[in-house]
Amino acid sequence: MSSTRIRPALVVLGTAALLTTSVAVPQASGAGRTSTAPTALTWYDATAETIAAAGASAQVTNSRTWAVSWLAAARATRTVPAGVQRGAYQDAALAAAVHRALVKLAPSRTEQLDAKFKETLDAIPDGAAEDRGVAAGERQADLVVASREGDGLDPASVNAPYPVPPAAPGVWQPTPPAHAPATQYGNRLAKPFLLKSQSQFRLGPPPALDSRRYAADLAEVRTYGAADSTARTAHQTETATFWLGSSLTLYTEPLRVALTRTNQGIAGQARLVALFHVALVDTQIATSDSKYAYERWRPVTAIRTGTIDPDQDWTPLHTTPAHPDYPSGHNTYSGAAEAVLSALVGPRTAPFDLTSPTAPGVTRTYTTWKQLSNENVDARVFSGIHTRSADKAGITLGTDVARYVLRNAGPLLAAR
């Protein structure tokens, strides 16, 4: 499409909350591999490559690396000093901020990051704009990295030991086949970027075990999520497999597409990536808070040992992750991602293609961010690893956290 569509969007302005305005969004075709601010894309890809090559074992730790690096970039590019060339200053500031933060957080990639940084600086005219931009970027990186020291988002802290509660109806227990210890318990003890507390958006309780909602949830998972299900269609199985992997990995390309389609310039691009990952870190903290507050058992445990037509041989399509059911972490991630992208880029976009490492050879096409959320809700049911109530609650939680982050981001984005 070559036309330009006008639609409302939310843009972070000053140190106040997000305000509603009207902006023009170019409707590019394909995956959007061009931009008026190529430096942002260069360092977006460098960040993704760094995470892929030297990332941590915990998803939230990698989200933290994204958030720290790009928050520094957003601060450094937000204001341009008088008397220097704006584009050169912002290019240098963004590159310096992301480079400096990534070298500190992923030192094994220093050689590759240094080479990329040199390439960026070689393309910027020498002079005051470049020098002052580099200084600003490095200063903000140092400040943000220092502010997050000891935040409890390292893998060891994230996966702090969790004492398994005594077995009882509805209570989480280690799941087959590995019966592995619970993971991500420590998330609920970590320091958020913006939430006032980890429990600020704690969900209400899951459906009662004697409720119609619970019975319907369990019947749906039993029917459509079984490994040997005859009700699940080939397309539904594909959906489950497509969205099986890490949400961070699966949303890296949609965020990149959005990055190419914002018309807010390099400062807006840095802000988009920063707020996306700040929201996602806080969402993952809030997710674990609700998960371990309610300790709801997984469908495989409920179906095998519960009172509703127990079946000791029932097996889900995909292996159940080692943490409680409610809410679904994939869907808290989706809800937050959808909220941020819809606010800062708009809810609709030109078609873009997406592939998945867990579904080789499959390509899906999307025109709204909500489509990604809808598929995630279905996918976890079809995988047999979440109830629909846990999925929908996840969307709600992620949306609530992201909207709070967007409303209160002004002071966080201000340069120090």
Side-chain angles (χ1 to χ4, degrees):
M1 280 185 281
S2 58
S3 61
T4 298
R5 178 177 302 152
I6 306 297
R7 51 94 181 116
L10 295 174
V11 182
V12 177
L13 296 174
T15 60
L18 234 57
L19 304 177
T20 303
T21 186
S22 181
V23 297
V25 178
Q27 300 294 295
S29 61
R33 288 283 173 176
T34 61
S35 171
T36 57
T39 299
L41 292 182
T42 295
W43 284 94
Y44 185 90
D45 293 341
T47 309
E49 290 163 6
T50 298
I51 297 296
S57 57
Q59 175 176 273
V60 72
T61 308
N62 295 325
S63 295
R64 173 190 183 273
T65 297
W66 276 97
V68 167
S69 303
W70 284 81
L71 179 56
R75 289 179 177 180
T77 57
R78 185 172 182 176
T79 303
V80 179
V84 300
Q85 201 279 324
R86 183 179 188 85
Y89 176 90
Q90 289 184 316
D91 282 346
L94 184 145
V98 178
H99 168 264
R100 180 80 149 221
L102 290 178
V103 165
K104 286 175 173 286
L105 298 173
S108 66
R109 296 289 292 176
T110 297
E111 181 179 354
Q112 294 86 348
L113 291 165
D114 284 353
K116 186 65 65 178
F117 190 41
K118 182 178 184 302
E119 287 178 15
T120 300
L121 295 186
D122 284 347
I124 299 172
D126 293 338
E130 180 185 59
D131 294 343
R132 295 181 71 176
V134 168
E138 292 183 344
R139 169 178 165 77
Q140 294 304 322
D142 289 345
L143 288 171
V144 178
V145 170
S147 75
R148 298 302 301 181
E149 288 180 0
D151 60 9
L153 289 170
D154 58 285
S157 298
V158 165
N159 293 313
Y162 164 72
V164 178
V171 177
W172 183 85
Q173 297 290 296
T175 50
H179 297 280
T183 60
Q184 301 177 16
Y185 172 72
N187 274 4
R188 70 186 305 223
L189 310 175
K191 174 186 174 184
F193 276 88
L194 277 170
L195 294 184
K196 295 177 181 178
S197 72
Q198 298 90 337
S199 62
Q200 182 176 348
F201 289 99
R202 183 177 293 174
L203 293 162
L209 299 184
D210 59 355
S211 66
R212 291 184 179 179
R213 177 69 266 171
Y214 173 77
D217 279 343
L218 209 59
E220 182 183 30
V221 178
R222 183 194 298 268
T223 300
Y224 290 95
D228 58 356
S229 172
T230 58
R232 188 180 58 244
T233 67
H235 186 267
Q236 289 169 337
T237 300
E238 180 188 282
T239 297
T241 303
F242 191 91
W243 290 102
L244 183 61
S246 156
S247 292
L248 177 63
T249 300
L250 289 164
Y251 271 89
T252 296
E253 182 61 21
L255 177 56
R256 192 187 194 281
V257 170
L259 190 68
T260 68
R261 297 179 183 185
T262 178
N263 69 342
Q264 297 300 306
I266 191 169
Q269 288 179 308
R271 183 175 62 240
L272 170 62
V273 179
L275 291 182
F276 184 95
H277 285 287
V278 165
L280 266 301
V281 169
D282 281 11
T283 292
Q284 289 171 87
I285 291 171
T287 298
S288 289
D289 173 77
S290 282
K291 276 183 179 288
Y292 287 98
Y294 295 113
E295 301 178 320
R296 175 52 67 95
W297 60 6
R298 286 282 186 158
V300 64
T301 308
I303 293 172
R304 289 188 178 190
T305 67
T307 59
I308 302 176
D309 191 20
D311 179 356
Q312 295 183 358
D313 296 323
W314 189 89
T315 301
L317 173 64
H318 294 128
T319 300
T320 301
H323 42 78
D325 176 59
Y326 181 87
S328 160
H330 265 58
N331 283 287
T332 62
Y333 200 106
S334 292
E338 179 189 341
V340 173
L341 294 175
S342 295
L344 298 181
V345 184
R348 302 189 63 84
T349 188
F352 68 93
D353 293 337
L354 188 62
T355 59
S356 166
T358 55
V362 176
T363 299
R364 292 193 164 191
T365 303
Y366 303 92
T367 57
T368 71
W369 314 117
K370 184 172 179 57
Q371 289 172 301
L372 309 180
S373 297
N374 290 344
E375 288 193 6
N376 263 287
V377 169
D378 288 339
R380 307 310 268 177
V381 174
F382 299 150
S383 284
I385 58 181
H386 274 300
T387 60
R388 189 167 294 274
S389 288
D391 293 338
K392 290 184 175 180
I395 296 292
T396 297
L397 178 59
T399 301
D400 288 347
V401 172
R403 287 176 176 170
Y404 178 84
V405 166
L406 293 170
R407 287 194 305 268
N408 294 278
L412 186 69
L413 294 167
R416 304 300 197 265

